[in-house]
Amino acid sequence: MPDFIKYLLLASFAYVYVRLLIPYFGFFALYMFNESTQWDKYIEKPRLVFYGIGLLLMHSSYSAILEYSEPLRGFFFYANCLMFMGGITMSQITWSKRFKNVFIPKIQEKLKKKNNFSLSATNDQLKELYRGLVNYDMIITEKTDKDDFIKVFKEDWYTHKSKIHFKLDAPSCREFYELFKVTFPKNTMSVIDFFKRSDTIRREDGKPYKYSTVKDAKSRTPISKKSEELKTIFSRL
C-alpha cells in the first residue's frame, strides 16, 4: 500500500510539473528566437503565484503522507492528503477559462482603481487620430464627436457621459488598442482599463465590447479586417 501511495503522489507531481513546463517552454523558445510570445503578465504572473503555493502545499505534505501511511494514522494521514489535493487544485485551476475571464479581472479591479487613462497624448494628436477614424468610417460621428473623443481619453471617466462608438469588430478594436499603446508608450493603459473599467468604449450597436472576447481576439485573429487602415491612421500621428 505505501508503495502504491508513493507512486501515485509522484505521478501527481509529474503531471503538475509537465502541465506547467509545456506552455512555458513554448514561451521560452519563442522568446529565444525573437518571436511574439503572446505573454500576458496579467494572467501569467498570478498563475505562477498560484502554482507556487500549490506546489508548496504538495511538497510540504508529501513526506507526511508517506510517514503516516505505515502504520496508518487516520487524522494526520487524511489531513495531509487534503493538503496535497488542495495543492493540485490550486495549480490546475489556473488553466481554466474562469480563472482568466472571471477571477483575474475581479482581482485586478480590486487591486488597481483608476479614474482615467492618464494619457500622455496631446489634444492635437487626439484630434488627428479622430480625423483618421472619421476618414476611414471607423467611428459613429453622430454619437461621438471630436470633443467626446478627447474627453474619454483625457478626463476622469466619471465626470462626463461621453462614449466612443466604434464601427469595429472585436479583433479590429483590439488592434486599435495595441497600436495606441505602441504610438503612446508612456501610458499605462491596460486592456481591462480600455474595455471594461472605463465603461467608455462602445460597439456600433451601443453595447460595450465583451472584455473576454477582446482580450483573446489577438490570439484568434492576429491581423484584423481593418489592420492596414489602422496602421495608416497611426502612422500619421
mmCIF file of all heavy atoms in Angstrom, residues 9-46:
data_model
loop_
_atom_site.group_PDB
_atom_site.id
_atom_site.type_symbol
_atom_site.label_atom_id
_atom_site.label_comp_id
_atom_site.label_asym_id
_atom_site.label_seq_id
_atom_site.Cartn_x
_atom_site.Cartn_y
_atom_site.Cartn_z
ATOM 1 N N LEU A 9 1.550 9.632 -5.706
ATOM 2 C CA LEU A 9 1.976 11.006 -5.407
ATOM 3 C C LEU A 9 3.004 11.498 -6.425
ATOM 4 O O LEU A 9 2.942 12.638 -6.888
ATOM 5 C CB LEU A 9 2.561 11.085 -3.993
ATOM 6 C CG LEU A 9 1.608 10.763 -2.834
ATOM 7 C CD1 LEU A 9 2.345 10.878 -1.500
ATOM 8 C CD2 LEU A 9 0.404 11.691 -2.842
ATOM 9 N N LEU A 10 3.939 10.626 -6.761
ATOM 10 C CA LEU A 10 4.961 11.011 -7.741
ATOM 11 C C LEU A 10 4.344 11.257 -9.115
ATOM 12 O O LEU A 10 4.758 12.175 -9.841
ATOM 13 C CB LEU A 10 6.029 9.921 -7.826
ATOM 14 C CG LEU A 10 6.922 9.770 -6.588
ATOM 15 C CD1 LEU A 10 7.880 8.592 -6.758
ATOM 16 C CD2 LEU A 10 7.721 11.057 -6.339
ATOM 17 N N ALA A 11 3.339 10.464 -9.468
ATOM 18 C CA ALA A 11 2.646 10.670 -10.747
ATOM 19 C C ALA A 11 1.921 12.012 -10.742
ATOM 20 O O ALA A 11 1.875 12.713 -11.763
ATOM 21 C CB ALA A 11 1.658 9.535 -10.991
ATOM 22 N N SER A 12 1.375 12.381 -9.585
ATOM 23 C CA SER A 12 0.697 13.676 -9.467
ATOM 24 C C SER A 12 1.689 14.816 -9.644
ATOM 25 O O SER A 12 1.405 15.806 -10.332
ATOM 26 C CB SER A 12 0.005 13.789 -8.107
ATOM 27 O OG SER A 12 -0.973 12.786 -7.950
ATOM 28 N N PHE A 13 2.858 14.679 -9.010
ATOM 29 C CA PHE A 13 3.912 15.688 -9.189
ATOM 30 C C PHE A 13 4.288 15.815 -10.663
ATOM 31 O O PHE A 13 4.431 16.922 -11.191
ATOM 32 C CB PHE A 13 5.154 15.315 -8.381
ATOM 33 C CG PHE A 13 5.123 15.771 -6.959
ATOM 34 C CD1 PHE A 13 5.167 14.863 -5.919
ATOM 35 C CD2 PHE A 13 5.071 17.126 -6.656
ATOM 36 C CE1 PHE A 13 5.146 15.277 -4.591
ATOM 37 C CE2 PHE A 13 5.052 17.554 -5.333
ATOM 38 C CZ PHE A 13 5.085 16.629 -4.298
ATOM 39 N N ALA A 14 4.475 14.675 -11.312
ATOM 40 C CA ALA A 14 4.887 14.683 -12.723
ATOM 41 C C ALA A 14 3.851 15.410 -13.574
ATOM 42 O O ALA A 14 4.196 16.235 -14.433
ATOM 43 C CB ALA A 14 5.073 13.245 -13.219
ATOM 44 N N TYR A 15 2.578 15.119 -13.332
ATOM 45 C CA TYR A 15 1.518 15.765 -14.113
ATOM 46 C C TYR A 15 1.528 17.277 -13.919
ATOM 47 O O TYR A 15 1.466 18.049 -14.888
ATOM 48 C CB TYR A 15 0.156 15.206 -13.711
ATOM 49 C CG TYR A 15 -0.988 15.962 -14.344
ATOM 50 C CD1 TYR A 15 -1.336 15.752 -15.673
ATOM 51 C CD2 TYR A 15 -1.696 16.921 -13.603
ATOM 52 C CE1 TYR A 15 -2.377 16.473 -16.261
ATOM 53 C CE2 TYR A 15 -2.732 17.636 -14.183
ATOM 54 C CZ TYR A 15 -3.063 17.411 -15.509
ATOM 55 O OH TYR A 15 -4.076 18.134 -16.085
ATOM 56 N N VAL A 16 1.624 17.719 -12.659
ATOM 57 C CA VAL A 16 1.576 19.154 -12.358
ATOM 58 C C VAL A 16 2.766 19.877 -12.980
ATOM 59 O O VAL A 16 2.615 20.957 -13.580
ATOM 60 C CB VAL A 16 1.542 19.381 -10.828
ATOM 61 C CG1 VAL A 16 1.717 20.858 -10.495
ATOM 62 C CG2 VAL A 16 0.218 18.875 -10.262
ATOM 63 N N TYR A 17 3.965 19.285 -12.867
ATOM 64 C CA TYR A 17 5.158 19.939 -13.418
ATOM 65 C C TYR A 17 5.140 19.953 -14.944
ATOM 66 O O TYR A 17 5.487 20.970 -15.566
ATOM 67 C CB TYR A 17 6.420 19.243 -12.908
ATOM 68 C CG TYR A 17 6.898 19.754 -11.574
ATOM 69 C CD1 TYR A 17 6.787 18.982 -10.421
ATOM 70 C CD2 TYR A 17 7.465 21.023 -11.471
ATOM 71 C CE1 TYR A 17 7.217 19.448 -9.189
ATOM 72 C CE2 TYR A 17 7.905 21.498 -10.233
ATOM 73 C CZ TYR A 17 7.775 20.716 -9.102
ATOM 74 O OH TYR A 17 8.204 21.185 -7.894
ATOM 75 N N VAL A 18 4.743 18.849 -15.557
ATOM 76 C CA VAL A 18 4.691 18.794 -17.030
ATOM 77 C C VAL A 18 3.657 19.761 -17.562
ATOM 78 O O VAL A 18 3.890 20.464 -18.557
ATOM 79 C CB VAL A 18 4.389 17.350 -17.505
ATOM 80 C CG1 VAL A 18 4.082 17.343 -19.000
ATOM 81 C CG2 VAL A 18 5.576 16.447 -17.216
ATOM 82 N N ARG A 19 2.514 19.846 -16.873
ATOM 83 C CA ARG A 19 1.451 20.770 -17.292
ATOM 84 C C ARG A 19 1.945 22.212 -17.257
ATOM 85 O O ARG A 19 1.530 23.053 -18.066
ATOM 86 C CB ARG A 19 0.236 20.615 -16.375
ATOM 87 C CG ARG A 19 -0.960 21.479 -16.775
ATOM 88 C CD ARG A 19 -1.576 20.944 -18.041
ATOM 89 N NE ARG A 19 -2.717 21.742 -18.473
ATOM 90 C CZ ARG A 19 -2.648 22.833 -19.235
ATOM 91 N NH1 ARG A 19 -1.469 23.266 -19.646
ATOM 92 N NH2 ARG A 19 -3.732 23.492 -19.603
ATOM 93 N N LEU A 20 2.837 22.511 -16.337
ATOM 94 C CA LEU A 20 3.401 23.864 -16.245
ATOM 95 C C LEU A 20 4.504 24.095 -17.270
ATOM 96 O O LEU A 20 4.564 25.154 -17.905
ATOM 97 C CB LEU A 20 3.964 24.083 -14.833
ATOM 98 C CG LEU A 20 4.684 25.428 -14.587
ATOM 99 C CD1 LEU A 20 3.694 26.585 -14.689
ATOM 100 C CD2 LEU A 20 5.356 25.422 -13.227
ATOM 101 N N LEU A 21 5.361 23.096 -17.448
ATOM 102 C CA LEU A 21 6.543 23.284 -18.288
ATOM 103 C C LEU A 21 6.220 23.364 -19.774
ATOM 104 O O LEU A 21 6.893 24.093 -20.514
ATOM 105 C CB LEU A 21 7.539 22.143 -18.038
ATOM 106 C CG LEU A 21 8.237 22.160 -16.676
ATOM 107 C CD1 LEU A 21 9.103 20.916 -16.513
ATOM 108 C CD2 LEU A 21 9.092 23.417 -16.533
ATOM 109 N N ILE A 22 5.204 22.628 -20.230
ATOM 110 C CA ILE A 22 4.910 22.614 -21.672
ATOM 111 C C ILE A 22 4.635 24.007 -22.225
ATOM 112 O O ILE A 22 5.297 24.449 -23.163
ATOM 113 C CB ILE A 22 3.750 21.642 -21.977
ATOM 114 C CG1 ILE A 22 4.226 20.199 -21.814
ATOM 115 C CG2 ILE A 22 3.221 21.855 -23.390
ATOM 116 C CD1 ILE A 22 3.136 19.161 -21.990
ATOM 117 N N PRO A 23 3.678 24.771 -21.676
ATOM 118 C CA PRO A 23 3.441 26.109 -22.238
ATOM 119 C C PRO A 23 4.590 27.074 -22.001
ATOM 120 O O PRO A 23 4.895 27.903 -22.866
ATOM 121 C CB PRO A 23 2.163 26.568 -21.521
ATOM 122 C CG PRO A 23 2.086 25.753 -20.294
ATOM 123 C CD PRO A 23 2.689 24.440 -20.624
ATOM 124 N N TYR A 24 5.258 26.979 -20.846
ATOM 125 C CA TYR A 24 6.332 27.930 -20.561
ATOM 126 C C TYR A 24 7.595 27.618 -21.356
ATOM 127 O O TYR A 24 8.384 28.515 -21.651
ATOM 128 C CB TYR A 24 6.614 27.978 -19.055
ATOM 129 C CG TYR A 24 5.559 28.773 -18.332
ATOM 130 C CD1 TYR A 24 4.455 28.152 -17.754
ATOM 131 C CD2 TYR A 24 5.631 30.166 -18.274
ATOM 132 C CE1 TYR A 24 3.469 28.887 -17.130
ATOM 133 C CE2 TYR A 24 4.649 30.906 -17.643
ATOM 134 C CZ TYR A 24 3.575 30.266 -17.075
ATOM 135 O OH TYR A 24 2.595 31.000 -16.470
ATOM 136 N N PHE A 25 7.787 26.372 -21.708
ATOM 137 C CA PHE A 25 8.883 26.058 -22.620
ATOM 138 C C PHE A 25 8.602 26.678 -23.983
ATOM 139 O O PHE A 25 9.506 27.167 -24.660
ATOM 140 C CB PHE A 25 9.044 24.539 -22.763
ATOM 141 C CG PHE A 25 10.149 24.145 -23.717
ATOM 142 C CD1 PHE A 25 11.470 24.191 -23.321
ATOM 143 C CD2 PHE A 25 9.850 23.760 -25.015
ATOM 144 C CE1 PHE A 25 12.489 23.848 -24.203
ATOM 145 C CE2 PHE A 25 10.849 23.418 -25.907
ATOM 146 C CZ PHE A 25 12.181 23.461 -25.498
ATOM 147 N N GLY A 26 7.312 26.671 -24.377
ATOM 148 C CA GLY A 26 6.929 27.317 -25.639
ATOM 149 C C GLY A 26 7.212 28.814 -25.602
ATOM 150 O O GLY A 26 7.736 29.382 -26.564
ATOM 151 N N PHE A 27 6.860 29.483 -24.478
ATOM 152 C CA PHE A 27 7.160 30.906 -24.317
ATOM 153 C C PHE A 27 8.657 31.158 -24.453
ATOM 154 O O PHE A 27 9.098 32.088 -25.131
ATOM 155 C CB PHE A 27 6.692 31.401 -22.942
ATOM 156 C CG PHE A 27 5.220 31.632 -22.834
ATOM 157 C CD1 PHE A 27 4.516 31.169 -21.739
ATOM 158 C CD2 PHE A 27 4.521 32.325 -23.812
ATOM 159 C CE1 PHE A 27 3.153 31.379 -21.624
ATOM 160 C CE2 PHE A 27 3.156 32.547 -23.712
ATOM 161 C CZ PHE A 27 2.475 32.068 -22.607
ATOM 162 N N PHE A 28 9.445 30.312 -23.781
ATOM 163 C CA PHE A 28 10.895 30.494 -23.786
ATOM 164 C C PHE A 28 11.472 30.303 -25.181
ATOM 165 O O PHE A 28 12.333 31.079 -25.622
ATOM 166 C CB PHE A 28 11.533 29.494 -22.813
ATOM 167 C CG PHE A 28 13.032 29.567 -22.764
ATOM 168 C CD1 PHE A 28 13.677 30.606 -22.126
ATOM 169 C CD2 PHE A 28 13.806 28.583 -23.387
ATOM 170 C CE1 PHE A 28 15.066 30.681 -22.088
ATOM 171 C CE2 PHE A 28 15.191 28.649 -23.358
ATOM 172 C CZ PHE A 28 15.819 29.702 -22.703
ATOM 173 N N ALA A 29 11.007 29.272 -25.891
ATOM 174 C CA ALA A 29 11.519 29.007 -27.239
ATOM 175 C C ALA A 29 11.200 30.163 -28.178
ATOM 176 O O ALA A 29 12.057 30.602 -28.964
ATOM 177 C CB ALA A 29 10.912 27.703 -27.776
ATOM 178 N N LEU A 30 9.981 30.693 -28.111
ATOM 179 C CA LEU A 30 9.606 31.832 -28.955
ATOM 180 C C LEU A 30 10.434 33.059 -28.610
ATOM 181 O O LEU A 30 10.871 33.801 -29.495
ATOM 182 C CB LEU A 30 8.117 32.137 -28.776
ATOM 183 C CG LEU A 30 7.147 31.117 -29.377
ATOM 184 C CD1 LEU A 30 5.718 31.413 -28.927
ATOM 185 C CD2 LEU A 30 7.226 31.136 -30.900
ATOM 186 N N TYR A 31 10.665 33.265 -27.324
ATOM 187 C CA TYR A 31 11.475 34.412 -26.883
ATOM 188 C C TYR A 31 12.906 34.303 -27.403
ATOM 189 O O TYR A 31 13.486 35.289 -27.874
ATOM 190 C CB TYR A 31 11.465 34.484 -25.362
ATOM 191 C CG TYR A 31 12.389 35.528 -24.784
ATOM 192 C CD1 TYR A 31 12.049 36.878 -24.805
ATOM 193 C CD2 TYR A 31 13.620 35.166 -24.228
ATOM 194 C CE1 TYR A 31 12.894 37.838 -24.285
ATOM 195 C CE2 TYR A 31 14.476 36.116 -23.707
ATOM 196 C CZ TYR A 31 14.112 37.447 -23.742
ATOM 197 O OH TYR A 31 14.959 38.394 -23.223
ATOM 198 N N MET A 32 13.492 33.121 -27.348
ATOM 199 C CA MET A 32 14.874 32.924 -27.782
ATOM 200 C C MET A 32 15.034 33.168 -29.278
ATOM 201 O O MET A 32 16.105 33.568 -29.738
ATOM 202 C CB MET A 32 15.341 31.515 -27.426
ATOM 203 C CG MET A 32 15.485 31.273 -25.935
ATOM 204 S SD MET A 32 16.655 32.414 -25.146
ATOM 205 C CE MET A 32 18.195 31.869 -25.912
ATOM 206 N N PHE A 33 13.977 32.927 -30.051
ATOM 207 C CA PHE A 33 14.050 33.131 -31.497
ATOM 208 C C PHE A 33 13.381 34.439 -31.930
ATOM 209 O O PHE A 33 13.017 34.623 -33.086
ATOM 210 C CB PHE A 33 13.411 31.949 -32.220
ATOM 211 C CG PHE A 33 14.257 30.699 -32.170
ATOM 212 C CD1 PHE A 33 14.034 29.731 -31.208
ATOM 213 C CD2 PHE A 33 15.298 30.511 -33.072
ATOM 214 C CE1 PHE A 33 14.815 28.582 -31.142
ATOM 215 C CE2 PHE A 33 16.082 29.369 -33.018
ATOM 216 C CZ PHE A 33 15.840 28.397 -32.060
ATOM 217 N N ASN A 34 13.228 35.354 -30.945
ATOM 218 C CA ASN A 34 12.706 36.697 -31.218
ATOM 219 C C ASN A 34 11.331 36.695 -31.880
ATOM 220 O O ASN A 34 11.029 37.531 -32.728
ATOM 221 C CB ASN A 34 13.690 37.491 -32.093
ATOM 222 C CG ASN A 34 15.019 37.717 -31.412
ATOM 223 O OD1 ASN A 34 15.053 38.041 -30.222
ATOM 224 N ND2 ASN A 34 16.102 37.531 -32.144
ATOM 225 N N GLU A 35 10.509 35.720 -31.487
ATOM 226 C CA GLU A 35 9.140 35.662 -31.984
ATOM 227 C C GLU A 35 8.194 36.214 -30.913
ATOM 228 O O GLU A 35 8.526 36.286 -29.738
ATOM 229 C CB GLU A 35 8.749 34.212 -32.304
ATOM 230 C CG GLU A 35 9.576 33.574 -33.404
ATOM 231 C CD GLU A 35 9.300 34.170 -34.780
ATOM 232 O OE1 GLU A 35 8.202 34.737 -34.956
ATOM 233 O OE2 GLU A 35 10.172 34.079 -35.658
ATOM 234 N N SER A 36 6.999 36.602 -31.353
ATOM 235 C CA SER A 36 5.998 37.106 -30.419
ATOM 236 C C SER A 36 5.537 35.982 -29.498
ATOM 237 O O SER A 36 5.121 34.922 -29.968
ATOM 238 C CB SER A 36 4.803 37.677 -31.186
ATOM 239 O OG SER A 36 3.782 38.072 -30.289
ATOM 240 N N THR A 37 5.614 36.197 -28.190
ATOM 241 C CA THR A 37 5.289 35.149 -27.224
ATOM 242 C C THR A 37 3.838 35.192 -26.762
ATOM 243 O O THR A 37 3.351 34.238 -26.191
ATOM 244 C CB THR A 37 6.179 35.272 -25.975
ATOM 245 O OG1 THR A 37 5.927 36.537 -25.341
ATOM 246 C CG2 THR A 37 7.647 35.168 -26.357
ATOM 247 N N GLN A 38 3.140 36.302 -26.995
ATOM 248 C CA GLN A 38 1.772 36.498 -26.507
ATOM 249 C C GLN A 38 1.694 36.288 -24.995
ATOM 250 O O GLN A 38 0.688 35.829 -24.449
ATOM 251 C CB GLN A 38 0.800 35.557 -27.227
ATOM 252 C CG GLN A 38 0.711 35.825 -28.713
ATOM 253 C CD GLN A 38 -0.264 34.909 -29.424
ATOM 254 O OE1 GLN A 38 -0.851 34.022 -28.811
ATOM 255 N NE2 GLN A 38 -0.438 35.104 -30.713
ATOM 256 N N TRP A 39 2.778 36.658 -24.305
ATOM 257 C CA TRP A 39 2.831 36.574 -22.846
ATOM 258 C C TRP A 39 1.944 37.656 -22.262
ATOM 259 O O TRP A 39 2.102 38.834 -22.546
ATOM 260 C CB TRP A 39 4.272 36.746 -22.383
ATOM 261 C CG TRP A 39 4.435 36.944 -20.909
ATOM 262 C CD1 TRP A 39 4.331 38.117 -20.219
ATOM 263 C CD2 TRP A 39 4.771 35.952 -19.928
ATOM 264 N NE1 TRP A 39 4.558 37.917 -18.883
ATOM 265 C CE2 TRP A 39 4.827 36.611 -18.678
ATOM 266 C CE3 TRP A 39 5.007 34.587 -19.999
ATOM 267 C CZ2 TRP A 39 5.134 35.923 -17.503
ATOM 268 C CZ3 TRP A 39 5.316 33.913 -18.832
ATOM 269 C CH2 TRP A 39 5.381 34.577 -17.605
ATOM 270 N N ASP A 40 0.992 37.281 -21.450
ATOM 271 C CA ASP A 40 0.090 38.228 -20.803
ATOM 272 C C ASP A 40 0.411 38.233 -19.317
ATOM 273 O O ASP A 40 0.020 37.336 -18.575
ATOM 274 C CB ASP A 40 -1.370 37.822 -21.036
ATOM 275 C CG ASP A 40 -2.351 38.894 -20.572
ATOM 276 O OD1 ASP A 40 -1.946 39.747 -19.757
ATOM 277 O OD2 ASP A 40 -3.507 38.875 -21.023
ATOM 278 N N LYS A 41 1.142 39.260 -18.888
ATOM 279 C CA LYS A 41 1.604 39.286 -17.493
ATOM 280 C C LYS A 41 0.449 39.352 -16.498
ATOM 281 O O LYS A 41 0.590 38.914 -15.349
ATOM 282 C CB LYS A 41 2.534 40.477 -17.268
ATOM 283 C CG LYS A 41 1.877 41.835 -17.425
ATOM 284 C CD LYS A 41 2.878 42.959 -17.199
ATOM 285 C CE LYS A 41 2.230 44.329 -17.355
ATOM 286 N NZ LYS A 41 3.208 45.421 -17.145
ATOM 287 N N TYR A 42 -0.707 39.871 -16.922
ATOM 288 C CA TYR A 42 -1.838 39.975 -16.015
ATOM 289 C C TYR A 42 -2.458 38.608 -15.717
ATOM 290 O O TYR A 42 -3.211 38.462 -14.763
ATOM 291 C CB TYR A 42 -2.901 40.910 -16.602
ATOM 292 C CG TYR A 42 -2.408 42.328 -16.748
ATOM 293 C CD1 TYR A 42 -2.050 42.828 -17.997
ATOM 294 C CD2 TYR A 42 -2.268 43.159 -15.636
ATOM 295 C CE1 TYR A 42 -1.568 44.130 -18.127
ATOM 296 C CE2 TYR A 42 -1.785 44.450 -15.767
ATOM 297 C CZ TYR A 42 -1.450 44.933 -17.016
ATOM 298 O OH TYR A 42 -0.972 46.204 -17.140
ATOM 299 N N ILE A 43 -2.131 37.622 -16.532
ATOM 300 C CA ILE A 43 -2.604 36.254 -16.301
ATOM 301 C C ILE A 43 -1.475 35.363 -15.816
ATOM 302 O O ILE A 43 -1.624 34.602 -14.861
ATOM 303 C CB ILE A 43 -3.226 35.658 -17.581
ATOM 304 C CG1 ILE A 43 -4.491 36.427 -17.958
ATOM 305 C CG2 ILE A 43 -3.547 34.171 -17.402
ATOM 306 C CD1 ILE A 43 -5.080 36.015 -19.281
ATOM 307 N N GLU A 44 -0.312 35.458 -16.475
ATOM 308 C CA GLU A 44 0.782 34.527 -16.177
ATOM 309 C C GLU A 44 1.395 34.751 -14.797
ATOM 310 O O GLU A 44 1.767 33.784 -14.124
ATOM 311 C CB GLU A 44 1.861 34.638 -17.257
ATOM 312 C CG GLU A 44 1.370 34.331 -18.668
ATOM 313 C CD GLU A 44 0.692 32.985 -18.800
ATOM 314 O OE1 GLU A 44 0.984 32.082 -18.001
ATOM 315 O OE2 GLU A 44 -0.151 32.838 -19.703
ATOM 316 N N LYS A 45 1.500 35.994 -14.347
ATOM 317 C CA LYS A 45 2.069 36.234 -13.015
ATOM 318 C C LYS A 45 1.189 35.659 -11.905
ATOM 319 O O LYS A 45 1.699 34.946 -11.016
ATOM 320 C CB LYS A 45 2.316 37.727 -12.814
ATOM 321 C CG LYS A 45 3.515 38.264 -13.587
ATOM 322 C CD LYS A 45 3.773 39.718 -13.273
ATOM 323 C CE LYS A 45 5.023 40.218 -13.995
ATOM 324 N NZ LYS A 45 5.306 41.638 -13.700
ATOM 325 N N PRO A 46 -0.136 35.929 -11.910
ATOM 326 C CA PRO A 46 -0.985 35.270 -10.892
ATOM 327 C C PRO A 46 -0.969 33.749 -11.008
ATOM 328 O O PRO A 46 -1.015 33.044 -9.999
ATOM 329 C CB PRO A 46 -2.381 35.831 -11.196
ATOM 330 C CG PRO A 46 -2.138 37.121 -11.873
ATOM 331 C CD PRO A 46 -0.897 36.914 -12.690
#
